[in-house]
């Protein structure tokens, strides 16, 4: 790779060609042994601007005449604004019963060693405390949780994002 230094003569020639309206590619070809990007970089560092328009770009190009076309408007349902986050209201057929994690009958509570495939594996409480236990309710088919805890664990992503967190008591 040849390293090219910008001599005073080459810089003066660059300025004249730039003011003459030549493109960076044309200037690179005229100077020889320099790339278009090197020319653009040097022009930028020199702060050159406001060059004359080349004869081909000085006059605006005439537009091609198009034949008149009949446009047919199709009415669409009106929706204004950003509809990406619009809430889709769905009616729940059955409201979920209010159940609290810590309200599990004493006879249903299980320790880790008592769990099996037919019992709910939902942990309740702090694992470091002696009060910690698992729900122990009857599981749904092929799931590790009972019906209530499955609704908590397997929420659709859209529902999780839209609902504010429930207050803890």
């Amino acid at each position: 790779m040849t390293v090219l230094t910008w001599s005073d003569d080459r810089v003066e020639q660059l300025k004249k060609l730039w003011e003459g309206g030549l493109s960076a590619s044309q200037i690179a070809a005229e100077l020889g042994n320099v790339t278009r990007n090197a020319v653009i970089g040097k022009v930028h560092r020199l702060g050159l601007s406001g060059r004359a328009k080349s004869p081909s770009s000085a006059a605006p190009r005439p537009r091609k005449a198009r034949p008149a076309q009949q446009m047919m408007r199709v009415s669409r349902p009106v929706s204004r604004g950003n509809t990406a986050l619009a809430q889709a209201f769905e009616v729940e057929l059955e409201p979920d019963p209010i159940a609290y994690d810590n309200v599990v009958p004493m006879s249903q509570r299980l320790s880790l060693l008592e769990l099996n495939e037919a019992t709910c594996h939902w942990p309740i409480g702090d694992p470091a405390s002696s009060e910690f236990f698992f729900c122990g309710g009857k599981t749904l088919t092929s799931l590790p949780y009972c019906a209530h805890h499955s609704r908590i664990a397997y929420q659709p992503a859209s529902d999780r994002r839209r609902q504010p967190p429930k207050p803890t008591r």
Side-chain angles (χ1 to χ4, degrees):
M1 185 168 108
T2 307
V3 177
L4 176 72
T5 57
W6 287 94
S7 66
D8 292 338
D9 293 336
R10 287 176 68 87
V11 170
E12 288 303 317
Q13 189 178 6
L14 168 71
K15 287 180 183 179
K16 286 178 187 171
L17 294 172
W18 184 257
E19 290 170 5
L22 271 65
S23 69
S25 299
Q26 293 169 332
I27 295 171
E30 184 75 28
L31 291 174
N33 205 19
V34 67
T35 65
R36 171 186 166 273
N37 285 339
V39 170
I40 293 171
K42 190 62 176 178
V43 165
H44 179 73
R45 287 189 300 277
L46 291 171
L48 300 179
S49 63
R51 64 185 181 156
K53 297 281 183 188
S54 64
S56 62
S57 65
R61 291 186 308 185
R63 291 187 166 243
K64 293 179 183 176
R66 288 188 183 175
Q69 294 178 346
Q70 295 291 335
M71 292 185 66
M72 190 166 138
R73 299 260 178 204
V74 178
S75 63
R76 295 184 181 166
V78 177
S79 60
R80 300 211 185 268
N82 186 354
T83 59
L85 298 177
Q87 296 204 6
F89 295 100
E90 295 178 10
V91 178
E92 268 189 44
L93 299 176
E94 278 183 45
D96 288 338
I98 298 174
Y100 299 100
D101 282 342
N102 294 331
V103 181
V104 175
M106 292 296 284
S107 61
Q108 186 177 309
R109 297 179 183 189
L110 299 176
S111 69
L112 178 63
L113 298 175
E114 297 169 319
L115 291 176
N116 61 37
E117 290 184 11
T119 58
C120 180
H121 289 61
W122 190 266
I124 299 175
D126 180 13
S129 87
S130 61
E131 302 290 319
F132 178 74
F133 60 93
F134 291 90
C135 171
K138 185 174 183 275
T139 61
L140 297 175
T141 308
S142 73
L143 292 177
Y145 306 122
C146 63
H148 170 70
H149 290 124
S150 291
R151 282 193 296 274
I152 297 170
Y154 302 112
Q155 295 179 10
S158 60
D159 291 349
R160 285 196 310 263
R161 289 187 190 117
R162 289 189 182 147
Q163 292 177 353
K166 293 181 181 178
T168 56
R169 292 184 182 207

